[in-house]
Amino acid sequence: MSDLEPQVREVAVTLPDGAVRRVPAGTTAADVAAGISKSLGKAALAAVVDGRLSDLSLPIDKDTSLAIVTAKDDAALELIRHDCAHIMARAVQELWPDVKVTIGPVVENGWYYDFDRKEPFTPEDLGAIEARMRQIIAARDPVRTEVWARDRAIRHYEASGEPYKVELVEAIPGADPIRMYWHGHWQDLCRGPHLANTGQVPPDAFKLMSIAGAYWRGDSSRPMLQRIYGVAFRSKADLDAYLHQLEEAAKRDHRKLAREMDLFHLQQEAQGSVFWHPNGFRLWRVLEAYIRRQLDTDGYVEVKTPQLLDSKLWRQSGHWGKFRENMFVVPDEIPETTDEEADPILSGKAQLMALKPMNCPGHVQIFKQGTKSYRDLPLRMAEFGCCHRNEAHGALHGLMRVRQMTQDDAHIFCREDQIKDETSRFLALFSRVYAHMGMTDISYKLATRPDMRAGDDATWDRAEAALSDALRAAGLDFEIAVGEGAFYGPKLEFHLTDAIGRTWQAGTFQLDYVLPERLDASYVGEDGGRHRPVMLHRAVFGTFERFIGLLIEHYAGRFPLWLAPRQVVVAPIVSEADGYAGEVVAALAAAGIRAEADLRNEKINYKVREHSLAKVPVILAVGGREVEERTVSVRRLGEQGSRVAALDAIVAELKAEATPPDLR
């Protein structure tokens, strides 16, 4: 090489296996992938450059670490969904050029994009948009990007009649780049990254799902837009599995099943509060009796605390400052009234009280009554406490999100050296209960110290170590949720997978050093001095409402016999068997089985269909032959045929099955 020729500057690219490649500065990640192998070059979707997801087209101008993203990597799914949002927006504007575009973020399982269009979108429009999206994907248009000056971007969007994009550009902080992306000829404002071309989106693995209204920037004073939701996956098989899960979820919707099983209802006059019908409250009582037996066995004492507490206590506990917007606040006065129909007149000067949103401050008040010794610890204090939280109307959802709830709540007051043992004890209780409930697919997370927290690092070290040691001692695998602990201490999260593969967070276990300090709880230690107890907040079910909703959907209403609110219906085939049906019901009731007779003048097939829809587990039909032979015809929910059994034998069989698992 001649001394006059320019030197090519090289940079070092470190790959995931530790290999280092030296390439000319300005080489793209796509070039590196193609240089490793042709197959990798074709499979490459994006790159992780120094730990950040980046476009394949961005040049590498310094020594860096590099990993190539392919369809097998977790990051690929977000890229596919992100590109689907852009492709959908392009398809909409190609079909209806007068439509104005706004934003289109990735959300769980897919994306949405908001549009300003005079005419409402229809379900038929969704089909046309999907078809155009597949044409765009088939074209394999390259995706390219540029960084523009702010003024240039604003002028561009003003000239193209996109006022929402102008507003978005103006809102971008001054130091941030204004990045533009093109999918073929179509352009959008985006932070990126994106796939290399539209053809990398699987054409048969996405679907447009629904249309909804949404105010621009969530502000009801701004224009109402039309939001189109879509879902996308890596493959058609994954999409089909998701759609099947949605279909199953619709069948299992606890609100639908509650109507069929006559469990509960909700109405406008008591938003977020449940009207429990006899069948539903029977299920509640079965669960309450079950969990109370578990608490009795595990050494808990049960208490009851007031619903309404003075705001002074909530200020002292810290909830008034951090949780007040979710509390129902009540003035402590007798209001004036002018007549029966008039609204009450409040002075505005009364001391404020609040319906309790949680039970913990009340439990501390009980703990503080009398002197507690280190020998009294641990003290496990439980309450089926009715709480109220002022959730927004739009957030309410059947039993899953309510305003009035009852928790199977408990607080364990213990010494710091008892944390590990109490955690292990709770983990055993939690596993035992959920095994009895038929839910054994549980994952565990340990949420550690957040940036904003109370207490010193040494205290957090001990607390986190105690929880992790307890999880390991129980033989449980767990993930670390870094920085997701409460401000007062670390916590455990329990994630359950239900019968159709959905994940639910249930139960809670939180370690708290702060509330005993704020509310001045103490015990006398072995040294004769005053010490603060550690407070463990824990619930197994969480709230009865949400847990019952979860159970309904997990079992699709087909509860195991011990949980079923209606266990057995005895249905005479002919009126001459009515008396014998009463004997059968009496025998079952004597064995502790919830049984009833259906003596209506209806055909047996009608009765079977009706009670099967109501998810009654066992129907016993009796006719003339059964009366003579003292037998019953047994039909189980979900089974096509029936069998004949002797009365004594079926009573014994059902008694064993109806016994709660902890009593067998």
Side-chain angles (χ1 to χ4, degrees):
M1 177 182 298
S2 166
D3 291 341
L4 297 178
E5 292 182 23
Q7 298 292 317
V8 177
R9 184 170 68 89
E10 291 188 337
V11 294
V13 176
T14 303
L15 302 175
D17 62 0
V20 177
R21 287 179 171 248
R22 300 197 66 83
V23 300
T27 299
T28 67
D31 296 331
V32 175
I36 294 172
S37 71
K38 289 183 179 180
S39 60
L40 182 60
K42 291 180 179 180
L45 301 179
V48 177
V49 179
D50 288 336
R52 294 185 62 183
L53 193 62
S54 302
D55 296 298
L56 284 173
S57 60
L58 292 183
I60 301 169
D61 57 8
K62 65 181 182 65
D63 292 350
T64 188
S65 65
L66 176 70
I68 302 300
V69 176
T70 68
K72 296 178 181 179
D73 297 306
D74 291 340
L77 198 49
E78 183 170 351
L79 288 165
I80 290 168
R81 289 167 176 165
H82 195 173
D83 276 65
C84 276
H86 281 238
I87 291 169
M88 182 179 77
R90 174 180 166 184
V92 167
Q93 287 201 309
E94 288 181 355
L95 291 167
W96 300 281
D98 61 328
V99 171
K100 310 300 181 188
V101 293
T102 62
I103 56 173
V106 172
V107 294
E108 185 179 10
N109 298 315
W111 77 92
Y112 69 78
Y113 210 112
D114 289 346
F115 301 97
D116 188 350
R117 184 190 182 209
K118 293 180 181 179
E119 297 297 322
F121 288 111
T122 67
E124 291 73 23
D125 290 338
L126 295 188
I129 296 167
E130 280 190 3
R132 181 59 64 93
M133 288 175 70
R134 292 192 173 90
Q135 291 173 2
I136 294 169
I137 292 168
R140 299 186 62 83
D141 285 335
V143 177
R144 61 186 180 88
T145 182
E146 293 179 5
V147 175
W148 282 11
R150 185 179 307 269
D151 290 346
R152 181 186 176 190
I154 290 173
R155 288 196 305 271
H156 168 79
Y157 284 125
E158 286 177 340
S160 58
E162 295 286 6
Y164 300 100
K165 294 297 185 184
V166 171
E167 186 175 333
L168 289 171
V169 172
E170 291 174 340
I172 295 174
D176 290 1
I178 310 297
R179 185 168 289 281
M180 301 292 203
Y181 276 88
W182 282 261
H183 277 64
H185 66 85
W186 187 84
Q187 181 274 331
D188 202 358
L189 172 73
C190 188
R191 287 177 299 182
H194 280 278
L195 301 170
N197 66 73
T198 61
Q200 291 179 322
V201 171
D204 57 356
F206 73 89
K207 182 175 179 59
L208 304 187
M209 301 296 292
S210 61
I211 307 161
Y215 289 111
W216 172 234
R217 309 306 287 267
D219 184 344
S220 60
S221 67
R222 307 295 300 276
M224 172 65 80
L225 307 173
Q226 296 186 66
R227 177 172 294 177
I228 299 179
Y229 286 94
V231 295
F233 297 88
R234 288 187 177 89
S235 67
K236 184 178 185 300
D238 289 346
L239 173 64
D240 289 344
Y242 174 76
L243 295 177
H244 176 70
Q245 185 185 78
L246 285 185
E247 184 180 339
E248 280 297 308
K251 294 176 184 175
R252 294 166 180 263
D253 189 312
H254 69 283
R255 296 164 299 179
K256 168 181 171 289
L257 291 170
R259 291 190 295 272
E260 295 173 359
M261 300 173 70
D262 193 21
L263 300 178
F264 67 86
H265 83 273
L266 299 151
Q267 63 187 63
Q268 290 292 322
E269 290 80 1
Q271 289 215 22
S273 299
V274 184
F275 291 83
W276 289 99
H277 298 189
N279 291 336
F281 198 60
R282 195 175 292 125
L283 172 58
W284 177 301
R285 290 179 58 199
V286 170
L287 288 169
E288 185 176 338
Y290 166 85
I291 197 65
R292 182 173 274 122
R293 290 194 300 271
Q294 300 303 308
L295 298 181
D296 289 344
T297 300
D298 227 33
Y300 286 79
V301 293
E302 191 172 338
V303 299
K304 194 72 175 173
T305 56
Q307 287 282 299
L308 200 58
L309 293 165
D310 196 294
S311 64
K312 289 185 289 187
L313 180 63
W314 297 114
R315 292 178 195 275
Q316 188 181 358
S317 71
H319 292 97
W320 195 254
K322 294 182 179 297
F323 207 75
R324 186 173 62 249
E325 69 275 11
N326 294 115
M327 298 170 75
F328 286 99
V329 178
V330 181
D332 187 11
E333 68 175 312
I334 299 173
E336 294 183 26
T337 54
T338 54
D339 60 60
E340 292 182 357
E341 298 299 322
D343 291 336
I345 301 171
L346 301 171
S347 69
K349 299 177 182 179
Q351 175 65 34
L352 296 178
M353 305 185 77
L355 289 171
K356 64 177 178 180
M358 62 275 296
N359 300 302
C360 33
H363 289 189
V364 176
Q365 305 314 303
I366 294 176
F367 179 87
K368 289 171 61 178
Q369 298 301 301
T371 302
K372 298 296 186 296
S373 161
Y374 70 95
R375 295 188 182 91
D376 298 320
L377 305 183
L379 174 58
R380 307 181 190 98
M381 191 181 297
E383 177 177 9
F384 298 121
C386 181
C387 299
H388 290 79
R389 296 185 182 178
N390 193 1
E391 302 281 2
H393 288 187
L396 301 175
H397 178 71
L399 297 180
M400 302 306 190
R401 193 75 172 265
V402 293
R403 285 178 155 185
Q404 177 183 295
M405 66 210 74
T406 299
Q407 300 173 309
D408 67 321
D409 203 7
H411 296 90
I412 302 169
F413 298 88
C414 66
R415 306 188 307 267
E416 194 169 329
D417 64 292
Q418 295 173 320
I419 293 173
K420 179 182 175 182
D421 287 345
E422 288 304 305
T423 304
S424 296
R425 190 184 192 99
F426 176 75
L427 289 170
L429 170 65
F430 187 90
S431 297
R432 181 171 69 249
V433 168
Y434 277 83
H436 287 162
M437 297 296 153
M439 304 188 75
T440 56
D441 189 349
I442 305 171
S443 61
Y444 300 83
K445 291 184 180 180
L446 169 57
T448 59
R449 69 196 76 183
D451 292 335
M452 297 295 293
R453 58 183 181 271
D456 56 36
D457 285 344
T459 301
W460 276 86
D461 288 341
R462 292 193 301 272
E464 290 171 358
L467 296 188
S468 60
D469 287 348
L471 286 163
R472 291 189 182 96
L476 299 172
D477 295 327
F478 62 96
E479 297 178 23
I480 301 293
V482 177
E484 295 184 15
F487 82 98
Y488 49 75
K491 62 181 181 179
L492 300 182
E493 295 180 2
F494 309 95
H495 297 266
L496 315 177
T497 301
D498 70 9
I500 60 173
R502 296 173 300 179
T503 301
W504 307 78
Q505 189 170 338
T508 187
F509 188 89
Q510 301 176 9
L511 192 154
D512 185 358
Y513 289 98
V514 173
L515 199 60
E517 179 74 32
R518 294 188 71 108
L519 296 181
D520 194 29
S522 65
Y523 67 91
V524 178
E526 196 170 3
D527 59 0
R530 281 167 52 92
H531 299 269
R532 297 292 183 206
V534 180
M535 193 172 178
L536 305 179
H537 305 246
R538 47 107 298 177
V540 184
F541 292 158
T543 72
F544 275 82
E545 288 80 3
R546 186 170 183 271
F547 186 71
I548 289 173
L550 193 161
L551 281 180
I552 292 170
E553 297 203 2
H554 176 65
Y555 284 110
R558 297 173 180 236
F559 291 113
L561 193 63
W562 75 276
L563 273 176
R566 300 173 66 202
Q567 293 177 325
V568 181
V569 168
V570 182
I573 299 170
V574 292
S575 58
E576 289 78 9
D578 287 359
Y580 179 59
E583 292 181 45
V584 174
V585 168
L588 291 165
I593 298 164
R594 295 184 286 278
E596 60 197 85
D598 183 350
L599 304 180
R600 294 175 300 166
N601 186 24
E602 300 285 356
K603 293 183 178 180
I604 188 63
N605 288 341
Y606 177 86
K607 295 178 181 180
V608 168
R609 280 195 303 273
E610 187 176 75
H611 296 306
S612 296
L613 179 65
K615 305 297 187 290
V616 176
V618 180
I619 300 171
L620 303 181
V622 293
R625 182 176 178 180
E626 284 78 16
V627 172
E628 291 179 11
E629 299 177 354
R630 302 214 34 99
T631 59
V632 292
S633 178
V634 183
R635 180 183 290 272
R636 292 212 176 232
L637 184 64
E639 295 181 0
Q640 294 298 317
S642 60
R643 62 185 173 90
V644 175
L647 176 57
D648 291 344
I650 198 63
V651 169
E653 177 184 320
L654 295 177
K655 180 180 180 181
E657 195 176 333
T659 301
D662 62 312
L663 298 179
R664 293 173 188 168

